[in-house]
């Protein structure tokens, strides 16, 4: 008589992991990702991790907002009103996105200050620091491009002034201003340009730079503030 062997869900999961492991060494990848050297005296206050958390919040709430937002001058403001008044929990998602944007910048700056105060930018972590500067600029870029998207009076004039400031750069200022606006004035082209940068170029760039930032941190471990150069 043939004996049937009953398998528990955990056995199925283990069998699946074994199958994957034979093909892409998944256990080795997870073991590498889970191990980072943290000296006893390194107090990071989790500020980089909190910044990362807000980036994830922004990605999720941003994708939800994009389901209803229209990046055209005729429809942008109305689509924001629709999100706030008619979409279920739309007001909550939009508020979380707006607050998350501010908090991400605040925690990014606090994280930078922590790195400065503990001298964690010093050799061999200069590259982590430089990529970090890139991350800060990209985070500010999110704020700048996102501010225009509601296409209300405040957004319009804030971006007019913001692009004017870029226009005051010596020699190439006018080119930068026209490039940002898509012409001499703010128009439909400016809105679609800012939208593309906000939902595509910046998220991909930030995700890529973040991967490099975390890889460096992983390879070097966190700095030990008690370690002094002789
Ligand atoms: C989107 C923005 C950023 C994210 C998500 C992020 C994430 C992280 C995380 C998770 C860590 C590990 C430990 C910790 O929490 O401190 C870290 C470490 C580090 N970050 Fe960032 N970071 C960002 C921006 C920056 C900026 C603006 C700088 C500086 C210009 C910077 C420089 C560093 C350095 C030097 C370390 C290594 C610190 C050490 O070894 O003690 N990061 N970052």
């Amino acid at each position: 008589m043939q004996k049937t062997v009953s398998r528990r869900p955990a056995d199925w999961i283990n069998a699946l992991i074994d199958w994957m492991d034979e093909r892409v060494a998944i256990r080795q990848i997870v073991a590498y990702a889970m191990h980072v050297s943290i000296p006893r005296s390194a107090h990071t206050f989790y500020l980089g991790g909190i910044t990362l958390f807000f980036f994830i919040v922004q990605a999720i709430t941003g994708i939800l907002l994009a389901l209803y937002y229209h990046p055209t001058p005729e429809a942008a403001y109305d689509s924001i009103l629709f999100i706030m008044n008619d979409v279920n929990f739309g007001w909550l998602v939009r508020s979380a996105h707006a607050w998350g944007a501010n908090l991400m910048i605040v925690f990014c700056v606090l994280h930078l200050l922590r790195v400065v105060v503990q001298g964690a930018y010093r050799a061999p972590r200069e590259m982590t620091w430089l990529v970090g500067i890139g991350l800060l600029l990209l985070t500010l870029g999110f704020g700048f491009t996102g501010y225009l998207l509601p296409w209300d009076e405040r957004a319009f004039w804030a971006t007019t002034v913001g692009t004017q400031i870029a226009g005051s750069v010596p020699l190439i200022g006018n080119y930068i201003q026209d490039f940002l606006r898509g012409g001499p004035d703010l128009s439909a082209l400016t809105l679609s340009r800012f939208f593309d940068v906000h939902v595509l170029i910046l998220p991909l760039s930030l995700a890529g730079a973040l991967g490099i930032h975390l890889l460096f941190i992983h390879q070097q471990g966190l700095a030990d503030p008690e370690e002094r150069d002789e």
Side-chain angles (χ1 to χ4, degrees):
M1 203 174 66
Q2 202 180 2
K3 206 174 154 193
T4 52
V5 185
S6 64
R7 287 187 133 190
R8 290 171 304 137
D11 294 334
W12 287 105
I13 294 169
N14 278 334
L16 181 68
I17 293 174
D18 285 343
W19 186 89
M20 299 258 287
D21 200 42
E22 278 166 25
R23 282 147 189 93
V24 286
I26 197 160
R27 286 203 171 88
Q28 221 177 322
I29 296 169
V30 172
Y32 176 74
M34 298 295 281
H35 183 267
V36 61
S37 143
I38 303 174
R40 209 171 277 277
S41 56
H43 296 291
T44 78
F45 305 104
Y46 303 105
L47 294 168
I50 295 172
T51 315
L52 178 58
F53 167 75
F54 280 113
F55 176 54
I56 295 167
V57 170
Q58 291 310 92
I60 295 169
T61 53
I63 289 169
L64 293 176
L65 288 173
L67 297 176
Y68 291 97
Y69 175 77
H70 294 279
T72 63
E74 300 77 33
Y77 186 63
D78 286 344
S79 67
I80 295 284
L81 290 182
F82 185 73
I83 290 168
M84 293 301 279
N85 301 321
D86 297 301
V87 177
N88 284 338
F89 298 107
W91 60 271
L92 184 62
V93 175
R94 183 172 178 232
S95 308
H97 197 72
W99 277 95
N102 291 326
L103 289 170
M104 185 173 166
I105 295 173
V106 168
F107 278 98
C108 190
V109 172
L110 289 176
H111 169 55
L112 181 150
L113 291 177
R114 190 288 287 175
V115 169
V116 172
V117 168
Q118 292 197 324
Y121 53 82
R122 287 179 297 192
R125 294 182 178 75
E126 300 94 326
M127 291 302 291
T128 317
W129 167 265
L130 282 178
V131 178
I133 294 289
L135 285 171
L136 179 62
L137 294 177
L138 290 168
T139 306
L140 295 175
F142 270 110
F144 182 58
T145 51
Y147 207 80
L148 178 69
L149 301 185
W151 200 251
D152 54 10
E153 287 277 316
R154 199 171 51 162
F156 187 90
W157 291 111
T159 306
T160 303
V161 174
T163 46
Q164 255 164 15
I165 293 172
S168 62
V169 172
L171 298 175
I172 51 165
N174 279 344
Y175 294 105
I176 299 178
Q177 183 176 304
D178 283 6
F179 176 71
L180 290 174
R181 291 182 178 178
D185 301 307
L186 255 66
S187 65
L189 213 53
T190 324
L191 185 57
S192 69
R193 227 163 242 220
F194 273 49
F195 180 69
D196 288 352
V197 172
H198 192 79
V199 303
L200 196 68
I201 296 175
L202 288 176
L204 288 180
S205 311
L206 201 140
L210 191 58
I212 297 171
H213 197 64
L214 295 179
L215 186 71
F216 288 167
I217 293 158
H218 204 279
Q219 278 180 340
Q220 296 173 330
L222 292 180
D224 185 350
E226 282 184 355
E227 216 172 64
R228 294 275 174 266
D229 299 331
E230 293 304 317

